[in-house]
Amino acid sequence: MPQYSYSQSLKIMLIPYIIIGILWFPLTFLIETYYDSILISQFLVIQITTAFLFLIGFYYNNTSIYDIYWKIAPMFFVPYWSKGSGNMILPVLVYFYCIKQNYTYFRFWPGLQYEDYRNVAVKQQYPNPMIFWPIIYLGFEVVPSIMIFLGHLPLYYAFISQNPCTFAYNFSIIFTISAIAIELIADYQLFPYRSKLLKGDCDVGLWRYSRHPNYFGECMYWWGQYLCQLSFGFENAWTIIGAACIQALFSFYSIPDMETHLLKKRETYATYKKKVVSSFIPWFRMEK
C-alpha cells in the first residue's frame, strides 16, 4: 500500500464524503421522480453512496475509507425525514451522536495506513481479491448501511406521528442522551490506552465495571431510537428490527471477536477479564 502523509490521507478520506454531501439531495430528488417515497429514496441513496465509497476504497486498496459512513449518512437522511414535523430535538441528538463518533474516530486515526483489524483478518483469510472485495462490500459495507437505515427507521415514524405519551417520550430522550454520554465518557477514558499513551488494560472509570462500556452506550443509543417511536404507540412496533439486529451484531459478533483479538494482543487481558466479569452491562467486579 502506498504511504500517504496525514494531510494526504485526510483529503483522500474526506473528499468522497464532501462529494456525497453535495450529491445527496440531488440524488434524492431524482429518485423521488420515480418513487414517491422518502423511505425508498433514502434507502437507495444510502446504497448508491455506499457503492461509491466501496469503489474509492477499492481504488486506494483501503477498506477503512467506509469507516465513518455510518456516522455521516444519518446527518443527511434523518433531517430529511424530519422536514415538516417541527421536531428539532431528535435530529439534534442524531447530529450530536454522529459528531461525537467522528471526533472519537479521528482523534486516534493515524491516516490511511490504518485498517480495521477485522478487515485485515478477512484479507489474510481470503487473499484472492475476487473473494476478498465482495466480502468487504457485502458484509462490511452493504449490511452496516442497511443496519443504520433500520436503526434510525423508528425516527421516521416518530416524525409522522402525533400525540406521544409525554412521559415515555421524555424518558426516551433522556435515555438517548444518557447513551451518548456513556459512550463519550467510555471513549474518553479509553483514549490514552488506545493511543498508546498508557500501556496495559483500561481499568479505570466505566471500564472497571464493564469490559466494553462503549459498546453498551452504543447499543443504548439504538434502543433509544426505538423507545422514542414506541412513545407514540405500538402501531409501528415492528421497527424494533433495527435495534434488535444491531444488538445481535454486538452481542454475537463484535464483542466475542474483540475479546478474542484482545486476548491474543495482550497477555494481561485474561486477568482483566477475570476481574471485570461483565462484557457489556456495567456490573460488580470480582477482585479475587
Side-chain angles (χ1 to χ4, degrees):
M1 181 185 298
Q3 294 297 312
Y4 298 99
S5 67
Y6 186 84
S7 60
Q8 289 174 322
S9 297
L10 201 58
K11 290 177 182 177
I12 293 169
M13 181 67 127
L14 294 183
I15 287 176
Y17 287 95
I18 294 172
I19 294 172
I20 286 173
I22 293 171
L23 295 180
W24 192 282
F25 292 111
L27 276 173
T28 292
F29 301 144
L30 176 63
I31 291 170
E32 287 185 358
T33 60
Y34 299 95
Y35 300 99
D36 187 21
S37 167
I38 63 175
L39 283 180
I40 292 176
S41 72
Q42 294 312 277
F43 181 81
L44 292 178
V45 171
I46 287 170
Q47 295 312 313
I48 291 169
T49 50
T50 296
F52 170 69
L53 288 174
F54 169 76
L55 293 175
I56 298 296
F58 179 79
Y59 177 80
Y60 286 103
N61 193 30
N62 188 295
T63 58
S64 286
I65 296 289
Y66 173 85
D67 279 359
I68 63 171
Y69 180 77
W70 59 276
K71 313 158 194 172
I72 295 289
M75 299 174 76
F76 294 108
F77 68 78
V78 170
Y80 186 64
W81 282 348
S82 73
K83 64 178 183 177
S85 69
N87 190 319
M88 296 295 295
I89 295 176
L90 297 178
V92 167
L93 285 180
V94 170
Y95 262 72
F96 187 76
Y97 164 78
C98 291
I99 291 170
K100 181 211 74 69
Q101 293 287 64
N102 285 308
Y103 170 75
T104 299
Y105 182 85
F106 282 107
R107 196 178 180 201
F108 84 90
W109 186 66
L112 281 185
Q113 64 266 33
Y114 170 80
E115 282 189 278
D116 190 286
Y117 77 89
R118 286 160 286 211
N119 297 358
V120 174
V122 173
K123 185 181 291 186
Q124 292 171 345
Q125 186 174 359
Y126 303 100
N128 186 337
M130 298 296 289
I131 299 175
F132 166 70
W133 284 106
I135 290 175
I136 291 297
Y137 176 59
L138 296 173
F140 289 78
E141 298 187 7
V142 170
V143 170
S145 295
I146 293 173
M147 282 189 170
I148 62 163
F149 178 84
L150 293 177
H152 284 105
L153 189 59
L155 297 185
Y156 168 76
Y157 290 99
F159 293 137
I160 64 173
S161 302
Q162 295 179 345
N163 302 320
C165 170
T166 303
F167 174 80
Y169 180 78
N170 291 337
F171 175 81
S172 72
I173 297 298
I174 295 171
F175 187 91
T176 303
I177 292 172
S178 300
I180 297 171
I182 288 171
E183 192 170 10
L184 179 63
I185 293 168
D187 288 337
Y188 177 81
Q189 293 168 342
L190 180 64
F191 176 74
Y193 297 87
R194 192 170 186 182
S195 60
K196 308 293 176 61
L197 296 173
L198 295 175
K199 295 181 180 180
D201 303 294
C202 180
D203 195 8
V204 298
L206 294 173
W207 298 85
R208 289 182 59 80
Y209 307 101
S210 168
R211 299 197 299 274
H212 304 284
N214 52 341
Y215 290 167
F216 175 67
E218 175 73 16
C219 290
M220 272 185 66
Y221 170 80
W222 298 104
W223 285 112
Q225 309 302 292
Y226 179 67
L227 289 176
C228 178
Q229 184 275 315
L230 211 58
S231 70
F232 289 86
F234 294 94
E235 182 180 358
N236 297 298
W238 61 270
T239 57
I240 194 175
I241 187 173
C245 285
I246 293 170
Q247 181 69 64
L249 175 69
F250 277 91
S251 297
F252 301 112
Y253 173 70
S254 297
I255 292 177
D257 186 71
M258 179 61 76
E259 295 270 281
T260 301
H261 173 70
L262 292 173
L263 284 168
K264 291 178 181 178
K265 186 178 179 181
R266 291 197 298 270
E267 294 181 359
T268 58
Y269 192 76
T271 302
Y272 170 75
K273 188 174 180 180
K274 291 178 182 178
K275 292 181 180 180
V276 185
V277 294
S278 175
S279 64
F280 188 65
I281 301 173
W283 194 246
F284 298 103
R285 290 167 63 88
M286 184 175 293
E287 294 292 352
K288 296 181 181 181

